[in-house]
Amino acid sequence: MVDVMAFRKFKPGNATHLSVDFVIIGGGIAGLACAVALRRVNHRVTVLEEDDVYTLEHGRSGPCRMPPNLSKILYHWGLEDEVRAIAIKSESISLLLYETGELLGKHHWDDEVMKETRGEFVFTRHSALRRLLYDVAISCGAEVRLNTKVAAIDPEERTVTLEGSGEQLRADVVVGADGLGGLTRRILHHASEEPHMGAMDMFRHDNELGYLPIASTTVARELITADPDLAYLYDQEHTTMFNWFGHGHSVLGFPIIDGSEFGLFIYGPSNSRGGSWNTIASNTDLEAVLGTAEPKQPSEIGKVSSEADMSYSALDDWVHKSGRMVVVGEAAHPLPPGSVQATALTVEDAAVLAKLFSHLRTEDQIGSFLWAFQDLRQPRCNAVMAKEAGIMYYMTMPPGEQQQLRDETMRAKRDAGIGILQASDEAEESPEWAEIKEVFGYDAEDEADNWWVEWGLLRERSKGVDVSYGVPSPIQVERAISS
Ligand SMILES: Cc1cc2nc3c(=O)[nH]c(=O)nc-3n(C[C@H](O)[C@H](O)[C@H](O)COP(=O)(O)OP(=O)(O)OC[C@H]3O[C@@H](n4cnc5c(N)ncnc54)[C@H](O)[C@@H]3O)c2cc1C
């Protein structure tokens, strides 16, 4: 039972003039974030999710990084206290060599710079964030139907058919938040596109609870601190994320929730293909991957059992030609598993979609708002995806000139006592840091507002629509939501 009072600081947005029905397929982070965002502006929302509540809360869950461009959205929605309750603030990063354990350098996040982004960099567990969004979605009036699998979609008719019962639901807008292997992606996929196979696989860990609480791996703090070789992971002045760079391998590790657990993403080549977050990888595969790791990594703890691969193809269009179906999240823009921006982009999608639909006055705007969503989101997601691919390469570079330059540059900064993202010459900031700031500083809702002011209003005026109408206040929206 959701305690509605638990979200006392929840802030509704400006309510739409025309409320319509959204059916969202998939109750992952993208689907639930869309549900919250659309309810904030008073659209009617039904989420259809095949998982049950136990899976949603405990299932297949590993660490999740929430960069400032994500946390700022949730803070803006009034969920700052709730996010703080499930996350730990990242304070610094240490980069090490995978094969030898040498510390190449550190960087402490500058509080002032972080403040500029209006968010925080925090670490949590995937299931904790999903559960939070689920509770908020329900408390603000979304209908979330768990154990409900969509068997078919007819975007022209705007209907979805449920597996088992055959029940049909009709919506004004169908949102595909059903992930990389979902139905909506297949509807929009062009047969000519060749699947792109990522160079890396990602392994996940099975703990005592068996198959469920995984996604890469999480290890209890006590296990780590009890091991003299690993205690340094917690024995730091600041909450630190560790990133080991190896030849074709990399490991990311960081404390999550309140620091009581340590999350790991382990990258490396594997023989098996075709997995997802749900498939089990063999321990032998992981042992092979970690073969070249220096011994002080926590990857030695526990057994590994799952694997996700990264095969996907890019979609040209995220909107169906009917103008009534759109894809969001991983269904639209899959990122390598464990990427820093994978979850953030999905929440940005939700914020932008809802901002656009807060301006809905007539049904004929639906198509143009969905295309505007694509126009706004594709360049941003493509730019972030390119950066993530670059990061992946940087972390796993083969030995050679580039790798030597990478390591030498860091060692020089380390020896000079400066942060690895700081500029080493007169320049105020390093290009790496400028790039990170740009991604972190992005404000999805501002982008949607800018679109409306620059293009949306213009279109309305050109159609002879009076756009001098007032915008309802958040109080009015709150009343509408609770009525
Ligand atoms: C099981 C699972 C565990 C994950 N764990 C982690 C993690 O620990 N750390 C991390 O950083 N990232 C994790 N991810 C990835 C992360 O969720 C994504 O990178 C990002 O949050 C975007 O997710 P999404 O909501 O777009 O897609 P997804 O997370 O893939 O969610 C899609 C949802 O749609 C549902 N669905 C699909 N088809 C249907 C259908 N026909 N009918 C009804 N429902 C349907 C699925 O059950 C799923 O809940 C996980 C993903 C999954 C699916």
Side-chain angles (χ1 to χ4, degrees):
M1 184 71 184
V2 175
D3 175 8
V4 186
M5 293 309 287
F7 307 111
R8 273 193 305 265
K9 292 186 188 164
F10 182 71
K11 290 188 207 137
N14 291 328
T16 177
H17 290 264
L18 175 69
S19 297
V20 294
D21 289 298
F22 282 78
V23 162
I24 300 174
I25 305 165
I29 305 288
L32 293 169
C34 280
V36 174
L38 290 164
R39 280 303 299 146
R40 281 184 76 241
V41 298
N42 205 28
H43 286 292
R44 295 180 294 274
V45 178
T46 304
V47 180
L48 307 170
E49 167 56 52
E50 62 178 310
D51 282 349
D52 57 23
V53 73
Y54 183 83
T55 311
L56 191 134
E57 189 160 357
H58 302 286
R60 302 158 291 184
S61 183
C64 172
R65 289 181 287 168
M66 297 171 65
N69 47 311
L70 189 171
S71 59
K72 92 172 81 175
I73 295 171
L74 301 184
Y75 294 174
H76 183 215
W77 294 352
L79 299 171
E80 196 159 338
D81 293 347
E82 287 77 11
V83 169
R84 293 237 166 90
I86 60 162
I88 186 166
K89 195 168 144 192
S90 161
E91 293 172 321
S92 69
I93 174 169
S94 283
L95 302 181
L96 308 92
L97 283 186
Y98 179 88
E99 285 86 5
T100 63
E102 178 191 349
L103 177 69
L104 290 174
K106 294 179 171 203
H107 193 89
H108 183 65
W109 300 120
D110 184 332
D111 281 345
E112 285 310 307
V113 175
M114 280 292 164
K115 223 180 256 169
E116 260 179 57
T117 68
R118 289 181 285 145
E120 284 177 318
F121 197 166
V122 294
F123 301 142
T124 186
R125 191 183 255 282
H126 182 260
S127 58
L129 177 61
R130 193 177 179 204
R131 178 71 207 211
L132 170 63
L133 291 171
Y134 171 76
D135 286 344
V136 179
I138 290 180
S139 81
C140 65
E143 186 187 359
V144 184
R145 292 174 64 175
L146 300 175
N147 293 309
T148 306
K149 183 168 181 173
V150 172
I153 306 160
D154 184 339
E156 301 285 353
E157 293 298 320
R158 294 127 57 189
T159 56
V160 301
T161 307
L162 305 187
E163 194 173 270
S165 65
E167 181 187 344
Q168 269 200 348
L169 282 83
R170 195 157 197 278
D172 295 300
V173 187
V174 175
V175 178
D178 46 352
L180 186 52
L183 289 172
T184 50
R185 192 175 166 78
R186 265 176 264 156
I187 291 173
L188 293 174
H189 182 257
H190 299 288
S192 59
E193 289 164 2
E194 283 302 311
H196 152 78
M197 184 67 79
M200 294 293 192
D201 286 337
M202 198 173 82
F203 288 83
R204 300 185 302 156
H205 163 76
D206 198 10
N207 71 9
E208 322 66 71
L209 291 172
Y211 172 72
L212 291 173
I214 55 170
S216 97
T217 181
T218 61
V219 181
R221 178 185 180 135
E222 304 88 71
L223 277 176
I224 290 182
T225 49
D227 184 331
D229 277 344
L230 298 175
Y232 74 98
L233 295 173
Y234 275 101
D235 189 16
Q236 302 283 326
E237 193 182 340
H238 305 286
T239 303
T240 301
M241 180 177 90
F242 296 84
N243 192 173
W244 290 268
F245 294 170
H247 173 198
H249 300 76
S250 186
V251 176
L252 276 161
F254 44 92
I256 58 169
I257 311 270
D258 52 4
S260 57
E261 291 172 48
F262 197 79
L264 284 166
F265 290 121
I266 301 159
Y267 298 91
S270 105
N271 297 328
S272 53
R273 293 280 175 196
S276 73
W277 283 93
N278 295 335
T279 39
I280 307 286
S282 76
N283 291 347
T284 328
D285 270 350
L286 189 82
E287 276 156 24
V289 168
L290 290 171
T292 54
E294 62 94 17
K296 284 189 194 156
Q297 282 183 33
S299 43
E300 288 188 325
I301 295 175
K303 290 180 185 154
V304 171
S305 72
S306 304
E307 170 184 341
D309 91 352
M310 300 162 39
S311 56
Y312 59 83
S313 49
L315 289 179
D316 285 341
D317 284 325
W318 298 355
V319 182
H320 186 263
K321 58 182 181 348
S322 62
R324 293 302 185 120
M325 187 184 93
V326 67
V327 283
V328 297
E330 291 276 287
H333 43 75
L335 281 178
S339 300
V340 62
Q341 290 293 333
T343 305
L345 287 187
T346 70
V347 179
E348 285 185 4
D349 285 350
V352 169
L353 189 68
K355 257 286 168 178
L356 293 172
F357 275 87
S358 70
H359 299 291
L360 197 70
R361 282 178 74 84
T362 56
E363 243 192 271
D364 66 1
Q365 288 174 309
I366 290 177
S368 73
F369 283 2
L370 294 184
W371 287 110
F373 171 78
Q374 169 172 317
D375 289 349
L376 277 169
R377 296 302 296 151
Q378 273 188 345
R380 162 74 174 167
C381 294
N382 289 342
V384 170
M385 285 187 318
K387 284 189 172 70
E388 294 280 1
I391 292 171
M392 193 73 74
Y393 176 70
Y394 197 73
M395 296 187 328
T396 58
M397 251 180 221
E401 262 176 50
Q402 267 185 322
Q403 164 267 329
Q404 280 169 15
L405 182 66
R406 178 196 73 187
D407 298 354
E408 287 311 324
T409 311
M410 287 193 203
R411 285 187 188 112
K413 289 185 183 181
R414 175 197 66 194
D415 296 344
I418 60 173
I420 35 173
L421 295 173
Q422 246 168 286
S424 41
D425 46 28
E426 294 84 52
E428 273 182 22
E429 57 188 15
S430 68
E432 293 88 356
W433 183 228
E435 215 173 278
I436 290 174
K437 266 197 340 192
E438 190 193 314
V439 177
F440 286 179
Y442 182 89
D443 191 315
E445 295 186 321
D446 280 358
E447 292 297 314
D449 276 340
N450 292 345
W451 179 89
W452 176 246
V453 173
E454 276 177 41
W455 301 105
L457 284 173
L458 212 64
R459 278 188 204 173
E460 296 305 294
R461 282 197 196 102
S462 71
K463 287 193 287 185
V465 176
D466 175 15
V467 289
S468 59
Y469 47 80
V471 176
S473 69
I475 300 274
Q476 288 170 297
V477 186
E478 197 160 13
R479 284 200 199 112
I481 287 177
S482 53
S483 67

